[in-house]
Amino acid sequence: MSNPATAQDSGRERIRRAAYELFSRSGTRAVGVDGVIARAGVAKMTLYRHFPSKDDLIIDFLARREQLWTRDWLQGEVMRRASTPRERLLAIFDTFSDWFQRQDFEGCSFLTTMLEVTDRQHPVHRATVEHLANIRQFIRELAATAGVRDTDSFARKWHILMKGSIMAAHEGDTEAGRRAREIGEVLLDSEGIHAG
């Protein structure tokens, strides 16, 4: 006989996985609750027991995206690929270059969701802004270690490069990561953070 708590956890996790796959690929607007239910293979009541609204499901998706994409993948790759602060900042674009070449390149879910939910007071929009701010915090930390004086201004510039390269890759520019890296090198040089 199965443990009811385990069965509930299993249903919740199936819903979370299904939502992650569908929202990552198609955005949150194009995917309805019924699509998530069908993909997860659960009853509608099970979904609403764990996520009272689609907005709750989207907010959970964004938190999962931050863990899997921002922390586990992007930050993990940056730390694995480089050892100095300058090279770690540039490794963001090396990581993006590989990502942009992949057939399953899906873009930035935070940007996509923010553009889908334009009301700045909406909980989903606010959640996307918070997750994007967390990416900038990572950049600020790298910049501080590199010796950048105004880390907030630098992180915002660097993040513009990141977001711009992602949008260029959506447009079909598979070399956008390399191009952004070249601009990043100029920005670092202007901050006095030189190679070597």
Side-chain angles (χ1 to χ4, degrees), residues 1 11 19 24 30 51 64 78 84 91 107 134-135 138 144 174 182:
M1 185 170 179
S24 293
F51 302 100
R64 187 179 182 106
V78 163
T84 68
N134 291 340
I135 294 170
F138 175 61
T174 57
E182 290 173 2

Side-chain angles (χ1 to χ4, degrees), residues 38-52:
R39 179 66 161 259
V42 298
K44 187 175 280 195
M45 189 173 77
T46 302
L47 183 139
Y48 284 115
R49 183 182 325 121
H50 296 293
F51 302 100

Side-chain angles (χ1 to χ4, degrees), residues 62-72 110 131 134:
L62 293 170
R64 187 179 182 106
R65 182 71 173 181
E66 178 170 299
Q67 182 61 51
L68 297 177
W69 188 87
T70 306
R71 294 187 185 142
D72 295 351
F110 305 130
H131 290 299
N134 291 340

